[in-house]
Amino acid sequence: MTLPARVKLVEVGPRDGLQNEPQSVPTHVKIELIDRLTAAGLPVIEAGSFVSPKWVPQLQDTAEVLAGIQRRADVRYPVLVPNMKGFERALAAGVEEIAVFGAASETFSHKNINCNIDESLERFDDVCDAARDNNIAVRGYISCVLGCPYEGDIAPAAVARVAERLRGMGCYEISLGDTIGVGTPLKAQALIENVADRVPVEVLAAHFHDTYGQALANLITVLPLGIATIDCSVSGLGGCPYANGATGNAATEDVLFLLNGLGIDTGVDMDVLLDASRFISAALKRTPVSKVARALLKSRNESRSGESQS
Ligand code: HMG
Ligand code: MG
């Protein structure tokens, strides 16, 4: 098995995670979370989205969040943009990178962004042109790559078609979203092999939600196929408001523990990441979904209480 020497982790918790919280999280908490993730060494941190506040009120303060964070020059802070209106808002907020987000399922496309796949691609084409004129990098997402909450199975060819279009309009990276976490390893393998026939595997990222507990198994399957960019969410936060029952992405702590164990470099410091995980879990009044975070925080507490007793 040939594994990449280095993997880029794309932290999506402040966006994919917090968009799904029933109550909005205060702006200062979002800012502190992003600053803590920056301190942990994450190279890319999705900071929010410029979508309709009627659709996703949880992230309507993204401009304030971007204005409040301590940006590090070598860290990117992309935001989601669904259309030109979102692009104008992102431009006004001074972003250097955006992400457009389409789907491989027609029904999901309608539920999530209120248009069909081809209409969405036309919108993204305009957004990509405007981004190019303004020197803004664009990432492209495709949802429902391993299954749709409304349509069930999705053919890899449907994903490959959208990936090719996104690449053609200038997306530098294409993130494959298992939105509802129904993928299993052989399906994930077939997906990557099919999509990599149409776009270079080096530009693909794995965005696997962990609803069915398969995300790590799927990731270990796609790493030897050339996937070296993984989206993950601190503490396992998240889901999609338009995909009922979907839970968060593979937790950043779990992915990092796996990659550390495989000797794969990420530049991320587990200890500082754990502090970020504990911070957001306390703010949301819950324990982290991440098993690694729970185990490491427990042993950290035990060794601290051992120290104070001795
Ligand atoms: P629409 O209702 O068809 O939009 O929604 P519209 O163009 O007809 O405009 C209606 C109103 O919204 C107008 O305002 C517009 O100005 C306003 P009004 O005149 O009624 O006062 N509007 C906006 N306001 C602010 N920012 C904007 C914007 N656009 C229109 N950008 C729309 C279409 C795309 C806007 C809507 O469906 C939407 O915002 N959807 C976003 C849903 C979303 O954020 N979903 C979660 C992210 S995707 C995800 O989580 C999956 C992912 O993680 C990958 C995976 O896991 O698979 C990425
Ligand atoms: Mg997602």
Side-chain angles (χ1 to χ4, degrees):
M1 180 160 78
T2 311
L3 294 167
R6 192 176 170 86
V7 160
K8 179 175 75 173
L9 293 182
V10 175
E11 170 61 52
V12 297
R15 192 279 302 171
D16 204 329
L18 300 185
Q19 76 182 8
N20 206 43
E21 288 300 316
Q23 275 118 26
S24 334
V25 175
T27 308
H28 71 88
V29 171
K30 295 176 180 173
I31 291 171
E32 183 167 347
L33 174 62
I34 294 173
D35 286 347
R36 285 175 175 274
L37 293 166
T38 300
L42 269 317
V44 186
I45 304 169
E46 237 175 33
S49 64
F50 287 108
V51 301
S52 162
K54 288 184 194 134
W55 285 62
V56 183
Q58 290 91 333
L59 299 185
Q60 60 189 313
D61 59 351
T62 292
E64 289 81 7
V65 171
L66 286 169
I69 57 175
Q70 307 272 329
R71 292 179 196 224
R72 238 178 56 182
D74 56 346
V75 177
R76 306 172 78 124
Y77 301 93
V79 292
L80 255 53
V81 160
N83 53 18
M84 281 306 293
K85 171 133 194 183
F87 178 77
E88 297 300 337
R89 293 174 65 209
L91 190 62
V95 305
E96 291 163 349
E97 180 170 332
I98 59 171
V100 293
F101 51 105
S105 146
E106 288 291 357
T107 316
F108 184 81
S109 179
H110 273 282
K111 301 270 186 195
N112 196 41
I113 51 174
N114 205 24
C115 62
N116 68 36
I117 295 171
D118 283 334
E119 284 163 349
S120 76
L121 293 172
E122 279 161 33
R123 287 179 193 176
F124 301 157
D125 219 353
D126 294 341
V127 170
C128 283
D129 284 348
R132 197 174 305 110
D133 292 345
N134 288 278
N135 219 8
I136 291 174
V138 187
R139 185 177 210 234
Y141 273 107
I142 308 173
S143 284
C144 299
V145 298
L146 289 167
C148 167
Y150 310 102
E151 295 184 10
D153 285 345
I154 296 292
V159 183
R161 179 183 88 88
V162 178
E164 198 169 27
R165 289 281 303 272
L166 290 172
R167 176 82 175 142
M169 62 181 81
C171 292
Y172 80 91
E173 190 167 278
I174 292 155
S175 180
L176 301 174
D178 183 9
T179 318
I180 52 169
V182 289
T184 46
L186 290 182
K187 284 187 179 168
Q189 180 181 348
L191 170 76
I192 301 302
E193 285 169 355
N194 269 272
V195 178
D197 266 353
R198 308 275 279 271
V199 295
V201 72
E202 298 76 35
V203 309
L204 299 178
H207 178 103
F208 295 163
H209 284 255
D210 199 29
T211 317
Y212 288 79
Q214 304 296 302
L216 290 184
N218 295 338
L219 287 172
I220 192 74
T221 308
V222 301
L223 283 172
L225 302 177
I227 298 293
T229 301
I230 297 177
D231 297 1
C232 46
S233 175
V234 63
S235 194
L237 299 174
C240 175
Y242 299 100
N244 252 345
T247 64
N249 288 84
T252 312
E253 303 89 310
D254 295 0
V255 174
L256 181 61
F257 191 84
L258 173 72
L259 297 179
N260 284 347
L262 292 168
I264 296 175
D265 185 25
T266 60
V268 178
D269 182 319
M270 178 66 93
D271 229 35
V272 186
L273 177 65
L274 275 183
D275 290 335
S277 179
R278 198 178 48 175
F279 166 77
I280 192 60
S281 303
L284 299 173
K285 299 189 175 55
R286 69 168 78 117
T287 48
V289 172
S290 160
K291 285 189 176 169
V292 167
R294 290 206 301 256
L296 291 179
L297 287 169
K298 185 164 176 278
S299 68
R300 204 194 242 187
N301 287 343
E302 282 166 1
S303 72
R304 281 191 187 153
S305 76
E307 276 165 28
S308 66
Q309 278 164 20
S310 59

